[in-house]
Amino acid sequence: MTIASSSPPSRLPTGGAAEARSSTGTRQGVSGEDRGDGRLAALFIAPALLGFLVFLLWPTLRGIYLSFTRFNLLTPAEWVGLDNYVRMVNDPIFWDSLWVTLEYVFINIGVQTVAALAIAVLLQRLTQSAMLRGIVLTPYLMSNVVAGLVWLWILDTQLGIGNEIISGLGVDRIPFLADETWAIPTIALINVWRHVGYTALLLFAGLQAIPGDMYEAARVDGASEWRMFWRITMPLLRPVLAVVLIMTVIGSFQVFDTVAVTTAGGPANATNVLQYYIYGSAFGRFQFGYASAMSVALLVVLSAITVLQYRLTRAGRTDLG
């Protein structure tokens, strides 16, 4: 009796030990696979991470340091503390450049967003032709420098085909890039022409994520296209539109090349945007410390605007449920 009754318990721990060894071995095998996947992921991430560290993080940290120095490439950097920032606050050209940049941003973002949204909705509602999408994207494939030069020739007051057409209509020629009033709106519209197709395709991708049965149900209820746009399209497109706005605002504040090849900051500093003023201070007057201070100020402004936009537009939330 004693032997019979004690047999079963002696087998149970053996089986439990075997299961424990098996589960432990499985866990070790999965852990080994995870480590292998981690190494492979690190291998693929390494080039991008290296580029980020070398071309973005290090220059940013270096620029922040230089903003507290007097540096002209010819002599070692001399620590001056907050002198560059005090100078920036008291620099009327800096504030004028910031105002010119804000004027450009408002025109560019306003026109580009409305035009891109209209194109995206038309692409979704009327046609989804891949060829038409390619045509819309064509200006974006051109560099800003080339686009600026092309429009500089088109809008030339004396020889430009644009002014030839205006003159043929009996209207006086317009100095689009040589007049203080016209210069910034013209540069803004040049960049709208180049970027609107790309922005429209981003919004078109967001429209594709909206379920079509919502529009079908709205039609059954007798809703018009205009009502569906405001009650369905805009609320459900909000997260994508918010991200697109953040991207375009950041890009607009960094406008440089179009100004450099068309007006070079003129006439009379009417197009002297902040990036062009920073470039002139650094590479024209070799005031790298002061240029770095303005760059840091621009970084702070863009960071604040981005955070504010993200929160106000609730970019991280969606109404699709």
Side-chain angles (χ1 to χ4, degrees), residues 213-234:
D213 54 2
M214 291 189 175
Y215 293 105
E216 295 298 331
R219 287 194 191 94
V220 171
D221 291 338
S224 64
E225 290 288 335
W226 186 249
R227 189 177 182 84
M228 286 191 290
F229 174 77
W230 286 109
R231 295 300 179 92
I232 298 176
T233 302
M234 286 302 293

Side-chain angles (χ1 to χ4, degrees), residues 68-298:
F68 296 99
T69 67
R70 183 181 294 110
F71 181 53
N72 60 9
L73 284 181
L74 301 178
T75 59
E78 176 187 354
W79 184 265
V80 295
L82 297 175
D83 287 1
N84 288 325
Y85 291 96
V86 173
R87 175 186 172 185
M88 180 181 67
V89 171
N90 295 306
D91 184 359
I93 300 178
F94 168 78
W95 292 109
D96 182 66
S97 297
L98 183 59
W99 175 253
V100 169
T101 305
L102 288 173
E103 181 185 357
Y104 167 84
V105 169
F106 279 117
I107 297 173
N108 183 47
I109 296 301
V111 177
Q112 183 179 163
T113 303
V114 173
L117 187 58
I119 294 172
V121 171
L122 290 175
L123 285 175
Q124 185 208 28
R125 308 298 286 166
L126 300 180
T127 178
Q128 296 190 16
S129 168
M131 180 178 294
L132 187 57
R133 276 179 269 170
I135 294 173
V136 169
L137 190 62
T138 301
Y140 185 73
L141 303 179
M142 186 184 302
S143 72
N144 277 332
V145 173
V146 174
L149 288 174
V150 168
W151 281 102
L152 177 64
W153 296 332
I154 291 175
L155 300 176
D156 183 84
T157 308
Q158 301 300 324
L159 303 175
I161 188 173
N163 265 306
E164 287 292 332
I165 295 173
I166 291 174
S167 179
L169 295 175
V171 181
D172 291 339
R173 295 173 181 266
I174 302 174
F176 288 101
L177 294 168
D179 184 83
E180 296 181 28
T181 303
W182 286 96
I184 276 293
T186 302
I187 291 174
L189 293 178
I190 289 173
N191 281 326
V192 167
W193 171 81
R194 180 179 178 270
H195 291 91
V196 70
Y198 176 71
T199 306
L201 287 185
L202 292 178
L203 296 176
F204 175 76
L207 291 173
Q208 294 294 90
I210 301 177
D213 54 2
M214 291 189 175
Y215 293 105
E216 295 298 331
R219 287 194 191 94
V220 171
D221 291 338
S224 64
E225 290 288 335
W226 186 249
R227 189 177 182 84
M228 286 191 290
F229 174 77
W230 286 109
R231 295 300 179 92
I232 298 176
T233 302
M234 286 302 293
L236 298 183
L237 187 63
R238 177 185 47 75
V240 176
L241 183 59
V243 173
V244 169
L245 279 174
I246 290 172
M247 293 170 54
T248 51
V249 167
I250 292 174
S252 296
F253 268 95
Q254 296 175 338
V255 60
F256 169 78
D257 33 17
T258 308
V259 172
V261 300
T262 55
T263 62
N269 286 336
T271 61
N272 189 26
V273 292
L274 193 53
Q275 284 279 29
Y276 194 79
Y277 183 45
I278 292 172
Y279 169 82
S281 297
F283 298 100
R285 295 179 289 277
F286 296 100
Q287 300 172 356
F288 287 93
Y290 184 52
S292 297
M294 290 190 288
S295 299
V296 172
L298 180 59

